[in-house]
Amino acid sequence: MKVGEEIMSIHISNDERLFHIETKNSSYVFRVLENQQLQHLYYGKRIHVKENYGNLASYQTRGFEVAYTATEEQIQLSMIQNEYASYGKGDFRHPAYQVQDATGSRITELKYQGYTLSTGKKRLEILPSTFDDEGDRSEVLTITLKDDLIGLVVKLNYTVFPDQNVIVRNVEFINEGPSDLKLLKAMSLQLDLSDDEFDFIHFSGAWLRERQLYRTALRPGLQSIDSLRYSSSPQNNPFFMLSRKNTTEESGEVYGFNLVYSGNFQNSIEVDHFSTTRVLVGMNPVEFEYLLEPKKSFITPEAIMSYSAQGMNALSQQLAIFYREHLVNPRFAKRPRPIVLNSWETMYFNLTTDKVLELARCGQRLGVELFVLDDGWFGHREGDNSSLGDWTTDYRRLPKGISYIADEIHKMGMQFGLWFEPEMISIDSELYCTHPEWMISTPHRKPSVGRHQYVLDFTNQEVIDYLFEAISSIIQETKLEYIKWDYNRHITDAFTATLLPTKQMEFGHRYILGVYQLLERLTKAYPEVLFESCSSGGGRFDLGMMYYAPQAWTSDDTDPIERLKIQHGTSYGYSLSMMSAHVSASPNEQSGRRTSLDTRAAVAYFGVFGYELDVTALEAVEAEKVKEQIHFYKKYREVFQYGNFYRIRSPFEDDVVDWQVVSSDKSTSILLHTSLISHLNPGYSLVKFCGLDEDKRYTIAGMDEEFFGDELMNAGIKIIPEGAENGPVISTPEYQSHLLIVEEIKD
């Protein structure tokens, strides 16, 4: 049937009461109620566009629930799915926002005023955001709401990216009244679902065990993940999913949510007494207030939501494509990422020019493309208790300077990178002696300390300007191609002299805006420098940082068996090209576990590959193997970094892990099969592939037989225990990996 105004994916009824947002495979529907507030109707598998959905819009009134007003008794806000809910007018669930007016009242009534439609997604000015620079692959719906009594205007923004089944949401609050308003809570996304038959899947952990998978059934009441560390944190990642109870990697309904933000966040799921599920995604309201003066506005970070009816692999794949097309810096989004050799685990703080160049030369002979000099090159830093903030060469240990090292490495044909921790300051530093007031601390109280270091006040523009000049000088001096941006302690003693007492609760958000400002200035001034985020490993693995730094050090834990869990969990919400994964020494420094060089490399292939290894100490056989590994990764780099990734068997559920990447044209695929424990008198393992073309013919490296795609996907391949050809196998080695290389047969 003919519906009113529409632009490709956004349909609006003739009477302006119904809004239907479509993606390739999903629909999102809401309407305007009789009291001019918004009722959410549906989000899920794509349905036909209609003028109205009477059944979905129907609701009941119940005893002991509160009517909106005496003249609108038929509306009980607690009995409907709301689109962006307030508190205090009958909806007793946790609200999406809260505003306090000049009288101290927190009651607001947002009424529908109208809408606007546009094509092309613009970038936000002071926050990292999704984008559509070409202007033809997205549509934007903005709903304007207003509370006339206090002059509060709220704009709900919905950007639809149809091809990736993604809807991006954020909210703008504008004070058009005569008096100050105080914003107490401002979530970016609310979604009310009509039932509670879901599992809550989130990725929590700690340093060295980031993003472990937890899957629990929803229950009545509130469940949440959050951070109050002024960073996204290794404890709870902002990405989470709601799936149907029978949803698997390959089938079933699943919703994914993420936040383009690096500071304090809160993601909550509330199941009410009638089994309605409310999802809220956004900035953490704890330790947050924002003074909204007349004519001023506040914009929330963007939240991403995506839906799949084909299981979690499909959800992850459409998110990976979306990030590549609409979030990551286009300069690096599809560019092959270089193979790295990092100095840290080889020499720690024990730097000399000769040792650095010897390590670099050895890496170059093996095929390394980017040499990274880690911590210890600046100030007078011989340990972790000094010099943070003094971003100038330590000429005592590097007498020819950092520029000499950079020049020599460039002469070897390699790129050069450096480690920075820009947000931190040491008491033992020239910067602290000159500007002690730049350190975050609370007046008249002794500051807390972490890792012998403190945090610079990024709400202070002078701090940002100083760091921009200091880092720029090093970039220019060394012709730098890469920066590892670390952040090794969380903020305490939150206070800043740059804000009035009435605005101190704005500190956390303003700090993150300062970080973004510095990154924005650096990435614009030096567009060819590749940034990698690192926060004691994976403590800032979030989309806010990914906007500037398209890859992140996934974890300080480089044990490949532990990395199977960390990378597996990370892959649900992030792409392989976002995950840095390196080969390190055995026994592993963190776990003490011994693993083969083959297994260490096989796991690290599934990400941005490199080495955290003293390659100067390798035996000849090991060096040759490393050279072969680098050659192999270069050959298949684009498949690993930008192919479709499939989780086939999980380290959280099984003692075998199967991962697979498939090129976009389905001509090449690589499958990793890793055993987590040793089996006595074992049988064979059966592995079934995913994502191939069922009619194409393929070969598998090391096997003479030809296979059709449907055979590999449905019948599978038997992996025979090593040594079986020479007699009975008593046991299989634990931590053994197999790589199955599948290539299309071209006639």
Side-chain angles (χ1 to χ4, degrees):
M1 68 182 298
K2 182 175 174 57
V3 180
E5 185 175 359
E6 60 184 77
I7 55 168
M8 293 178 65
S9 300
I10 300 172
H11 311 272
I12 301 168
S13 64
N14 289 305
D15 60 1
E16 224 180 283
R17 310 299 290 184
L18 185 82
F19 299 85
H20 186 141
I21 299 172
E22 282 187 311
T23 72
K24 184 178 180 181
N25 300 115
S26 67
S27 288
Y28 184 99
V29 186
F30 62 94
R31 71 162 185 146
V32 182
L33 282 165
E34 294 85 347
N35 68 347
Q36 302 304 307
Q37 296 194 325
L38 302 181
Q39 179 189 13
H40 179 77
L41 301 182
Y42 175 77
Y43 181 39
K45 195 169 184 177
R46 185 170 175 173
I47 58 177
H48 281 88
V49 176
K50 299 187 340 184
E51 181 71 23
N52 62 71
Y53 298 87
N55 181 261
L56 291 176
S58 63
Y59 54 86
Q60 297 178 321
T61 58
R62 295 290 177 91
F64 212 65
E65 302 298 330
V66 179
Y68 187 69
T69 65
T71 58
E72 295 161 307
E73 288 189 286
Q74 80 281 9
I75 297 178
Q76 294 176 340
L77 294 180
S78 60
M79 294 301 301
I80 65 173
Q81 298 162 237
N82 291 297
E83 187 65 16
Y84 198 71
S86 66
Y87 178 79
K89 293 295 291 181
D91 188 340
F92 298 98
R93 293 163 289 188
H94 283 250
Y97 75 99
Q98 194 165 29
V99 174
Q100 181 176 309
D101 67 24
T103 71
S105 169
R106 282 91 55 217
I107 306 304
T108 53
E109 298 181 73
L110 294 178
K111 301 296 182 73
Y112 175 73
Q113 304 296 303
Y115 71 90
T116 59
L117 288 175
S118 61
T119 57
K121 169 65 169 60
K122 305 300 183 184
R123 299 172 189 246
L124 298 182
E125 288 187 8
I126 61 173
L127 284 163
S129 62
T130 58
F131 54 81
D132 176 14
D133 290 342
E134 296 178 11
D136 60 355
R137 293 184 291 170
S138 65
E139 294 97 44
V140 182
L141 167 67
T142 297
I143 301 291
T144 300
L145 309 171
K146 187 174 184 180
D147 185 318
D148 286 321
L149 182 64
I150 61 175
L152 174 67
V153 173
V154 174
K155 294 187 176 183
L156 308 182
N157 299 309
Y158 304 78
T159 302
V160 55
F161 294 88
D163 292 340
Q164 287 87 44
N165 296 302
V166 168
I167 300 173
V168 175
R169 296 176 58 181
N170 81 317
V171 182
E172 182 177 8
F173 294 84
I174 306 167
N175 184 357
E176 293 187 354
S179 304
D180 289 348
L181 299 174
K182 188 181 289 184
L183 192 57
L184 305 178
K185 184 177 185 178
M187 305 307 279
S188 300
L189 175 156
Q190 175 183 325
L191 175 64
D192 284 4
L193 296 167
S194 58
D195 68 271
D196 65 350
E197 294 297 311
F198 295 99
D199 286 344
F200 175 31
I201 304 173
H202 61 95
F203 303 89
S204 302
W207 177 60
L208 299 182
R209 50 179 174 85
E210 297 86 352
R211 290 172 300 285
Q212 308 291 293
L213 186 154
Y214 294 88
R215 181 171 183 167
T216 57
L218 289 187
R219 52 170 173 73
L222 192 68
Q223 302 166 77
S224 67
I225 54 173
D226 73 347
S227 175
L228 285 170
R229 295 171 177 264
Y230 297 97
S231 79
S232 50
S233 87
Q235 281 70 28
N236 288 304
N237 191 266
F239 175 76
F240 70 100
M241 298 185 291
L242 285 182
S243 76
R244 293 300 182 182
K245 297 181 182 301
N246 62 348
T247 296
T248 66
E249 297 288 1
E250 295 303 318
S251 66
E253 287 191 305
V254 58
Y255 301 83
F257 305 88
N258 212 334
L259 185 66
V260 188
Y261 193 62
S262 308
N264 289 346
F265 72 91
Q266 184 183 84
N267 299 331
S268 65
I269 304 169
E270 184 176 6
V271 176
D272 72 5
H273 52 307
F274 292 113
S275 299
T276 297
T277 297
R278 171 166 294 175
V279 177
L280 294 173
V281 177
M283 297 167 56
N284 201 320
V286 178
E287 284 294 302
F288 170 80
E289 288 179 2
Y290 198 90
L291 185 64
L292 206 56
E293 298 168 332
K295 309 305 178 186
K296 299 294 184 179
S297 66
F298 179 88
I299 298 176
T300 71
E302 291 184 344
I304 289 171
M305 60 183 189
S306 187
Y307 168 83
S308 169
Q310 285 80 45
M312 288 177 270
N313 274 331
L315 177 73
S316 300
Q317 290 164 12
Q318 65 196 29
L319 285 174
I321 296 171
F322 172 74
Y323 299 151
R324 190 162 67 238
E325 298 288 338
H326 301 292
L327 181 99
V328 169
N329 184 342
R331 192 174 298 272
F332 297 103
K334 301 174 185 178
R335 182 186 294 184
R337 309 286 172 74
I339 296 171
V340 172
L341 174 60
N342 188 287
S343 71
W344 178 245
E345 291 192 19
T346 299
M347 57 188 70
Y348 300 99
F349 294 106
N350 301 315
L351 305 182
T352 68
T353 300
D354 289 343
K355 286 173 65 175
V356 170
L357 293 180
E358 180 189 7
L359 183 64
R361 288 190 193 97
C362 188
Q364 186 272 336
R365 289 193 294 270
L366 296 171
V368 168
E369 298 163 319
L370 167 63
F371 180 82
V372 178
L373 182 56
D374 211 284
D375 196 355
W377 59 270
F378 53 92
H380 57 278
R381 189 166 170 88
E382 297 179 4
D384 64 2
N385 59 356
S386 77
S387 302
L388 290 172
D390 297 343
W391 301 110
T392 55
T393 303
D394 182 355
Y395 282 98
R396 298 168 310 137
R397 289 185 294 162
L398 305 174
K400 294 183 179 181
I402 198 70
S403 59
Y404 171 77
I405 290 175
D407 288 344
E408 291 299 303
I409 288 170
H410 286 140
K411 288 176 185 176
M412 299 176 201
M414 288 193 296
Q415 295 179 319
F416 181 59
L418 282 173
W419 179 95
F420 288 86
E421 197 170 2
E423 296 162 73
M424 300 296 155
I425 186 171
S426 302
I427 296 294
D428 181 9
S429 68
E430 290 185 15
L431 183 64
Y432 183 80
C433 291
T434 307
H435 289 289
E437 76 280 7
W438 285 2
M439 186 182 89
I440 293 173
S441 62
T442 305
H444 314 300
R445 298 186 187 277
K446 290 184 178 180
S448 304
V449 61
R451 206 171 174 266
H452 309 297
Q453 64 192 55
Y454 302 85
V455 188
L456 286 167
D457 184 357
F458 268 57
T459 71
N460 187 332
Q461 188 62 44
E462 291 181 356
V463 170
I464 297 168
D465 293 342
Y466 161 77
L467 288 168
F468 176 77
E469 294 301 327
I471 296 171
S472 293
S473 179
I474 292 294
I475 293 174
Q476 293 168 18
E477 178 185 349
T478 60
K479 300 180 177 61
L480 203 63
E481 287 106 344
Y482 166 100
I483 286 177
K484 182 177 179 181
W485 183 293
D486 218 338
Y487 176 83
N488 281 315
R489 66 152 290 189
H490 296 128
I491 294 174
T492 54
D493 306 292
F495 179 87
T496 175
T498 66
L499 294 174
L500 296 171
T502 54
K503 291 189 173 185
Q504 285 297 319
M505 293 284 272
E506 298 177 17
F507 167 82
H509 182 58
R510 290 186 180 276
Y511 177 91
I512 293 298
L513 292 182
V515 174
Y516 292 152
Q517 184 200 141
L518 179 56
L519 282 164
E520 180 77 15
R521 289 170 65 179
L522 288 169
T523 53
K524 281 191 173 180
Y526 307 101
E528 289 300 323
V529 176
L530 172 64
F531 284 74
E532 177 168 304
S533 172
C534 178
S535 174
S536 296
R540 253 191 188 166
F541 212 105
D542 62 71
L543 297 182
M545 291 302 291
M546 292 295 179
Y547 178 83
Y548 301 104
Q551 61 192 56
W553 183 226
T554 313
S555 175
D556 278 348
D557 186 347
T558 54
D559 177 344
I561 304 307
E562 294 300 315
R563 269 298 188 107
L564 287 167
K565 286 187 175 180
I566 294 168
Q567 291 173 217
H568 192 97
T570 304
S571 72
Y572 283 91
Y574 305 90
S575 63
L576 297 192
S577 64
M578 292 175 164
M579 289 188 258
S580 286
H582 293 177
V583 176
S584 64
S586 180
N588 182 263
E589 179 184 318
Q590 293 86 27
S591 69
R593 195 193 318 264
R594 295 180 181 274
T595 52
S596 70
L597 194 54
D598 287 336
T599 293
R600 282 175 273 157
V603 175
Y605 289 148
F606 286 78
V608 180
F609 185 64
Y611 289 85
E612 245 11 75
L613 189 66
D614 185 359
V615 294
T616 66
L618 295 176
E619 297 179 359
V621 173
E622 293 175 317
E624 189 59 34
K625 187 176 287 289
V626 167
K627 188 181 294 186
E628 292 171 359
Q629 291 171 350
I630 291 173
H631 176 77
F632 173 82
Y633 188 77
K634 287 178 180 177
K635 180 178 180 180
Y636 295 107
R637 173 171 17 208
E638 293 202 27
V639 181
F640 281 117
Q641 293 181 2
Y642 300 116
N644 287 323
F645 178 63
Y646 291 87
R647 296 172 296 268
I648 301 174
R649 279 198 274 195
S650 167
F652 296 103
E653 299 173 354
D654 207 337
D655 58 11
V656 170
V657 178
D658 290 332
W659 293 344
Q660 186 189 355
V661 285
V662 184
S663 62
S664 58
D665 64 359
K666 301 187 178 185
S667 65
T668 303
S669 179
I670 302 167
L671 187 142
L672 171 69
H673 177 82
T674 302
S675 178
L676 301 183
I677 63 174
S678 179
H679 290 278
L680 298 178
N681 192 18
Y684 59 80
S685 294
L686 185 66
V687 175
K688 294 183 179 181
F689 288 77
C690 297
L692 302 176
D693 186 320
E694 62 182 16
D695 295 319
K696 285 184 176 180
R697 292 181 298 125
Y698 296 95
T699 60
I700 297 179
M703 302 178 70
D704 296 329
E705 190 174 353
E706 295 181 2
F707 305 90
F708 281 98
D710 57 1
E711 179 186 356
L712 293 175
M713 292 188 290
N714 298 319
I717 289 293
K718 292 179 180 179
I719 296 180
I720 309 298
E722 286 188 11
E725 65 277 7
N726 298 319
V729 177
I730 298 175
S731 67
T732 55
E734 60 184 354
Y735 317 138
Q736 185 181 83
S737 290
H738 297 265
L739 284 173
L740 301 180
I741 317 301
V742 179
E743 300 275 11
E744 180 187 356
I745 298 172
K746 301 287 180 73
D747 295 324

